[in-house]
Amino acid sequence: MKKRVGCICLVAVLTLFGGCATTTHLNEEAREKSSKQVEGQENTTTVMSGHYQTLAQSLDAYLKERAFNGVALVASEGEMVLLQPYGMANVKNQEAMSVDHQFHIASVSKSFVAVSILQLVEEGKLSLDQTIESYFPDMPHADQITIHQLLTHTSGLYSGDDLTDYSREVSVMDVIAPAFKASNLYYEEPGTQSIYSNLGYDVLGAIVEQVSGQTYSDYLEEHIFQPAGMTDSGLNVSGEKIEHLATAYNGNIANGDEAKVLHPSFGYSSGGLHSTAMDLYKYDRALRENTLISGESYRLMTQAYSTIGTSAYGYGWFVNAGVENTVSHTGNLIGWHSMFLRHQEDKVTVILLTNHDESDMYMAYNFARLVLAEKETS
């Protein structure tokens, strides 16, 4: 009975604070243990922790109460607290959601760009303070814009585009064409102010292609997805059918109001990736274990360099937004919302993926606070 009361109380706390969130390295033994934990959970359809049973039940109840449609994953120090699918992957076909369904993750893609750049820095092929005119000699202000500025949204490049048909495949040069306009900056000089720029991250993707000699999609597959064990993620620039992709909805999902289908190529490196909750958790583990980049590179990636709105920003992550000592990023696209939050000491990871764009992703901050509070009292 006490567990049931605790569950109800936690749901009440979540409901009270749900809309109020501010938007503002392992040794070899530990690495092996963590990898085995991920492998053991790979084919699990659902997880509700016995160790955190009351908390897991509360999170599950809250998500059901809010009619969340998607997949939620909450973990702490390599232990899964909750992994659950909710609602429908396809309303017309009455296809229930599963943890194997894939989602477009939009701007959660940005940390993958940052990791790619830092890998090339580690290889001595790039430096963070170099300007980009050697890659784009015809781009206005390229002799002033640095890699660091592109990563921190301080380059001044605006995010507008000239695309009019988002249903067709576009090339990388189509995506980054606005960067070649004479008036390509929001403000007079790069490095003086912050403005969130998808275009800046798309330019970074194009730089990865030039430096590596691979398409960005192939680079991700070889240097991030395979090392991390991510088998259900990709950058689908050709627009091929993705076998387990959920259907996106906006408006009334019960009525099957499908969202407009956008060709994935237009999202490119700034927001074009698709993934699953479990794949993103493998990425989380790979970052924790320094499988992809060194501890020093990870430290560089997660420092606060600039301010976007009211929140600090590093390289591909918001820093301490909503919850202290965390990095996080939301993704927003027509019909798709996502959130990825990770604690710097591995105390909590929250991944929320939805195919209904009216869902509140900032509840992840409250989930994280509850896990942290549970750990303090246990």
Side-chain angles (χ1 to χ4, degrees):
M1 183 63 182
K2 286 183 179 179
K3 286 185 178 179
R4 177 61 178 163
V5 171
C7 177
I8 293 170
C9 290
L10 280 172
V11 172
V13 170
L14 280 164
T15 302
L16 179 63
F17 293 106
C20 302
T22 305
T23 58
T24 17
H25 296 285
L26 295 177
N27 58 31
E28 290 299 323
E29 183 180 350
R31 181 180 303 174
E32 183 179 352
K33 178 181 178 183
S34 179
S35 298
K36 286 180 179 178
Q37 287 171 332
V38 171
E39 289 168 6
Q41 293 159 352
E42 186 169 1
N43 298 317
T44 305
T45 54
T46 61
V47 175
M48 194 170 293
S49 171
H51 184 198
Y52 296 101
Q53 184 176 11
T54 300
L55 176 58
Q57 289 174 342
S58 299
L59 299 176
D60 178 58
Y62 179 77
L63 287 160
K64 289 174 179 174
E65 181 184 326
R66 296 293 291 267
F68 178 72
N69 202 95
V71 178
L73 185 156
V74 181
S76 178
E77 297 180 325
E79 178 181 352
M80 200 70 71
V81 176
L82 178 75
L83 174 62
Q84 293 283 345
Y86 299 88
M88 304 299 293
N90 184 288
V91 174
K92 181 180 179 181
N93 298 334
Q94 287 297 290
E95 181 184 357
M97 188 66 71
S98 76
V99 298
D100 296 322
H101 275 100
Q102 296 158 299
F103 300 77
H104 287 295
I105 62 173
S107 283
V108 171
S109 304
K110 286 184 170 64
S111 73
F112 291 84
V113 180
V115 168
S116 301
I117 291 292
L118 288 167
Q119 288 177 338
L120 295 171
V121 170
E122 288 182 2
E123 293 174 18
K125 297 178 179 179
L126 282 176
S127 65
L128 293 169
D129 59 357
Q130 74 178 84
T131 54
I132 64 172
E133 73 271 19
S134 60
Y135 307 111
F136 302 110
D138 298 328
M139 183 187 295
H141 306 101
D143 60 339
Q144 298 172 274
I145 296 171
T146 67
I147 300 291
H148 171 83
Q149 290 167 355
L150 291 170
L151 286 165
T152 57
H153 298 289
T154 57
S155 69
L157 288 177
Y158 76 108
S159 279
D161 62 58
D162 297 324
L163 302 177
T164 56
D165 183 0
Y166 291 94
S167 64
R168 68 177 180 88
E169 182 178 351
V170 294
S171 70
V172 174
M173 290 310 297
D174 288 333
V175 173
I176 67 172
F180 291 87
K181 288 184 174 181
S183 55
N184 64 344
L185 300 184
Y186 267 114
Y187 41 82
E188 214 170 290
E189 185 180 348
T192 57
Q193 299 180 53
S194 308
I195 187 78
Y196 190 86
S197 176
N198 287 320
L199 179 58
Y201 269 75
D202 288 327
V203 170
L204 285 168
I207 290 172
V208 171
E209 293 197 354
Q210 287 198 40
V211 174
S212 69
Q214 298 177 283
T215 66
Y216 184 59
S217 177
D218 287 345
Y219 183 91
L220 289 173
E221 182 64 33
E222 181 178 343
H223 297 277
I224 297 183
F225 298 153
Q226 289 183 11
M230 300 169 67
T231 56
D232 296 306
S233 303
L235 176 62
N236 183 30
V237 291
S238 63
E240 295 176 7
K241 180 179 174 58
I242 302 173
E243 185 177 0
H244 297 296
L245 185 71
T247 301
Y249 298 90
N250 56 7
N252 192 328
I253 191 171
N255 290 341
D257 295 339
E258 295 187 15
K260 181 180 179 180
V261 176
L262 306 180
H263 197 281
S265 61
F266 99 91
Y268 188 47
S269 53
S270 68
L273 300 190
H274 63 269
S275 192
T276 65
M278 200 62 214
D279 257 18
L280 290 177
Y281 186 58
K282 292 176 183 178
Y283 177 56
D284 173 81
R285 295 295 85 196
L287 290 176
R288 174 66 183 170
E289 297 157 12
N290 299 329
T291 301
L292 304 175
I293 53 175
S294 68
E296 175 59 22
S297 291
Y298 180 78
R299 186 187 66 79
L300 288 173
M301 183 169 69
T302 57
Q303 285 188 47
Y305 298 106
S306 59
T307 302
I308 309 298
T310 60
S311 298
Y313 203 89
Y315 294 165
W317 295 101
F318 285 97
V319 180
N320 300 328
V323 180
E324 197 66 26
N325 204 23
T326 65
V327 292
S328 59
H329 216 297
T330 55
N332 301 299
L333 189 63
I334 298 173
W336 308 95
H337 281 183
S338 53
M339 167 63 95
F340 191 168
L341 176 151
R342 60 192 316 272
H343 192 270
Q344 296 291 62
E345 297 174 6
D346 202 30
K347 293 182 179 180
V348 61
T349 299
V350 181
I351 297 166
L352 299 176
L353 303 174
T354 179
N355 58 332
H356 184 210
D357 64 9
E358 294 188 356
S359 297
D360 172 26
M361 295 292 99
Y362 295 113
M363 65 175 122
Y365 295 136
N366 298 309
F367 289 6
R369 292 188 192 102
L370 288 171
V371 174
L372 292 171
E374 178 82 6
K375 294 188 73 66
E376 288 178 5
T377 58
S378 62

